[in-house]
Amino acid sequence: MNTLNPRFLTITALAGIAGIVIANFDITRKMKNESSTDKTTSIPLSDKWAGPYGGVPAFDKIEISQFKPALEASMQEKFKEVDQIANSAEPATFENTIMALERSGRMMERVQTIYGVWSNNLSTKEFQAIEEEMEPKLSAFNDQITQNEKLFKRIEAVYNSRIEKNLNPEQQRLAREYYVNFVRGGAKLDETTKKRLSDINQELAGLFTKFSQNLLHDEMEQTLVFKSEEDLKGLPQSIKDAASAAATTKKMAGSWVISNTRSSIDPFLTYSDRRDLREKAWKMFINRGDNPGERDNNGIITEILRLRAERATLLGYATHAHWRLENTMAKTPEKAIELMESVWTPAVARVKEEVADMQTLANKEGANIKIEPWDYRYYAEKVRKEKYDLDQNEVKQYLQLEKLREGMFWVAGELFDFTFTQINDVPVYHPDIRVWEVKNKTTGAHIGLWYFDAYAREGKRSGAWMNAYRNQERMDGNISTIVSNNSNFLKGKPGEPVLISWDDASTLFHEFGHALHGLSSNVTYPMLSGTNVFRDYVEFPSQLLEHWLSTPEVLQKFAIHYQTSQPIPQSLVDRIEKASTFNEGFGTVEYLSSALIDMKLHLAGSLKIDADAFERETLAKLGMPAEIVMRHRTPQFGHIFSGDGYSAGYYSYLWSDVLTADAYSAFVEAGGPYDKKVAQRLSKYVFSVGNTIDPEAGYNSFRGRDAKVDALMIGRGFPVK
Ligand SMILES: [Zn+2]
């Protein structure tokens, strides 16, 4: 089945790794004074990771009070290290400048990794106050380094002499990365402009934090509470149970609570027979961040866009989008838009057919309605049953989270020769988290660790993602990687298996694809390691892995009925296959509308933007079908407003998916999804190389030619030109 749902954040951006950096000397001086007073206090958070597997995070020793002093101490340490490199009396060389920078900031990486874990998984009011204070400081610190003139001169000298000094290709690429990042971060600007740039970055850091905290607030605080069985009409028992459990957690035992998160709302919209409540749920969900009052994100968006536009101008780019796209595969906004528009038109045409099918069915039932956005998932499900005899709830009985996890491990064994063993000798930040050691199946060599944080909890952001706690490298001896996958499955009753939807199963494989990308890494320098690749390339390995969920090998062995233990029947698999392009109009349009709005917002330059009006007018111009809403409306578009990472970059999922669809056909053409030769090429040229080679060249070596868009169109059931 073709899923490729381009929906989840993947990698939480770790400052410190990319060396995009900038500056405020006042802050550093102040910092130095502050930390000299508490030098005697030991902070476990900033200590070197001890224990087995080359050291692991001491999650059991972390207290919130440690974050601020540890972050400050780590900035101070990195400042000293960088200062030494910048002021060296020796002429700049690859070793004393670039490699020295790669070795610097280790404490900061450790501290920021754990800080990121808390921010995403264990956010509390107390922690949020620390984020509000520290985010602008961290941003200023980064600028301080990027704007260090002496340091930049040395990087520039190494970069300019990279060929005459006979640096190897990986070293040349690393020198280039440093040079480009510094220039793109403003290293060549004059002092006044640098100062303004740093002010903008600090202000943005504060706004990003506020944006995500507002969103988390609306997701946590707004709920639908039901008191009567009447309100639950149509819901499967598993959803009722989850709603009842949610009510108990909120001390409302005896009622049912639907939370304002995608994992609760989407199933409700799919199954609830109560049209009035579907409308209510839909409106609550699509208005996250868009409610008048102090949690309203609209003003923040206007400010973010204004500051980004100003920053782009200072840096010498036409718009923020031009700045962001320069260092990607697409290279220009025009290239990205061209691809999006080529898919948009057939997708909208498909939506018209989907709506017509749903309207016919509603008329036949005598519903006497016109399909509205809160009806889409509900009637789509009915059409799926009628047209394809496929009931998602029937499929779900075969999708046990733990069995599918075993299935993923098995796939990793077949494709990458990995084997997974659960371990209990490392600390975790919550009892629900489990850890596996990854080894090479043939040689037994240690590869890395995989942490799995599967369940939703208060203070954890919604969605699913992958994170690298530590990058693989071998600059000074072999350092193995530590990665995590995080998701928001609803925990069942004790002892009962957790059943998940087909979409959620695809997401599980998707995030595991990111993890395998990290685990496969085989490079020398940490900055080029694992998933540290172009934004529009990073979703390629993850989306590719989604394809293995629907392989017969996985379904027969791991899609096992939770009661009868029978494998999923072939007739059901056939129906899944037959329905594989069903509802692709909906999925593509809800995604692409978000991706197009993202790009257009960031191409609008210095216009003062009212997010609501911009969204409405742009969608009207695009011919957005009235029955669909953007997957992420602007006031809740965390991908692009809780940081710079995916800004003008939401198109990346589609860009990567061209490669994904084309790459999967390489397996199909060769002899199937487990063809060893193709798998070896995939590992050699894609999964293991990190950013040591140009992704286009890497892809070409894997495929023997450049990617074609045809496979993507076929996969979505759209006509190929
Ligand atoms: Zn992803």
Side-chain angles (χ1 to χ4, degrees), residues 594-605:
S594 294
L596 282 161
I597 289 280
D598 163 37
M599 194 59 82
K600 286 173 193 276
L601 279 170
H602 291 110
L603 281 171

Side-chain angles (χ1 to χ4, degrees), residues 8 10 510-511 514 539 542 653:
F8 294 99
T10 52
H510 175 108
E511 298 307 334
H514 285 305
E539 299 300 331
S542 55
Y653 291 91

Side-chain angles (χ1 to χ4, degrees), residues 338-501:
E338 188 190 318
L339 173 66
M340 288 193 271
E341 287 181 344
S342 72
V343 183
W344 174 256
T345 312
V348 171
R350 174 56 49 81
V351 166
K352 296 221 163 81
E353 297 167 14
E354 289 171 7
V355 172
D357 280 350
M358 295 191 285
Q359 192 65 55
T360 309
L361 197 142
N363 295 349
K364 216 165 70 185
E365 286 183 343
N368 197 22
I369 57 155
K370 181 189 160 297
I371 300 292
E372 296 285 354
W374 47 90
D375 299 318
Y376 211 113
R377 287 177 192 276
Y378 180 75
Y379 280 101
E381 192 51 27
K382 289 192 170 207
V383 173
R384 195 197 310 264
K385 272 185 206 161
E386 197 191 64
K387 238 182 158 166
Y388 300 97
D389 190 22
L390 187 63
D391 177 352
Q392 291 208 88
N393 235 7
E394 186 189 350
V395 178
K396 203 172 168 178
Q397 321 281 312
Y398 295 92
L399 302 177
Q400 304 178 52
L401 174 61
E402 292 306 314
K403 287 277 170 215
L404 291 171
R405 177 185 52 67
E406 286 169 25
M408 299 192 311
F409 289 174
W410 181 81
V411 170
E414 293 299 303
L415 297 183
F416 300 100
D417 207 25
F418 288 164
T419 173
F420 290 72
T421 316
Q422 191 169 0
I423 54 171
N424 295 298
D425 55 350
V426 303
V428 290
Y429 55 86
H430 187 280
D432 280 348
I433 289 133
R434 290 169 291 164
V435 189
W436 278 262
E437 185 191 6
V438 188
K439 287 186 190 162
N440 182 293
K441 212 162 72 175
T442 313
T443 65
H446 173 80
I447 302 279
L449 298 179
W450 182 70
Y451 286 55
F452 188 36
D453 178 0
Y455 304 113
R457 81 173 69 84
E458 191 98 9
K460 186 172 179 179
R461 74 174 164 89
S462 58
W465 61 95
M466 170 270 193
N467 192 8
Y469 295 164
R470 181 172 67 206
N471 285 306
Q472 175 274 334
E473 60 163 290
R474 48 165 186 271
M475 205 169 47
D476 303 301
N478 283 326
I479 308 258
S480 63
T481 187
I482 304 179
V483 298
S484 83
N485 276 164
N486 300 52
S487 42
N488 273 285
F489 297 111
L490 302 173
K491 215 173 167 182
K493 291 181 186 154
E496 277 186 17
V498 174
L499 301 180
I500 66 178
S501 68

Side-chain angles (χ1 to χ4, degrees), residues 4 117 201 290 508 643:
L4 38 85
V117 168
N201 284 332
D290 199 11
L508 187 70

Side-chain angles (χ1 to χ4, degrees), residues 680-701:
Q680 273 163 14
R681 287 208 309 272
L682 184 69
S683 175
K684 185 173 176 192
Y685 297 114
V686 178
F687 274 66
S688 69
V689 294
N691 192 23
T692 57
I693 56 173
D694 177 64
E696 223 166 276
Y699 187 83
N700 196 299
S701 304

Side-chain angles (χ1 to χ4, degrees), residues 17 53 85 103 165 328 374 385 394 448 455 462 498 543:
I17 289 178
Y53 315 106
I85 300 168
R103 288 190 183 101
K165 295 278 189 216
T328 62
W374 47 90
K385 272 185 206 161
E394 186 189 350
Y455 304 113
S462 58
V498 174
Q543 292 185 149

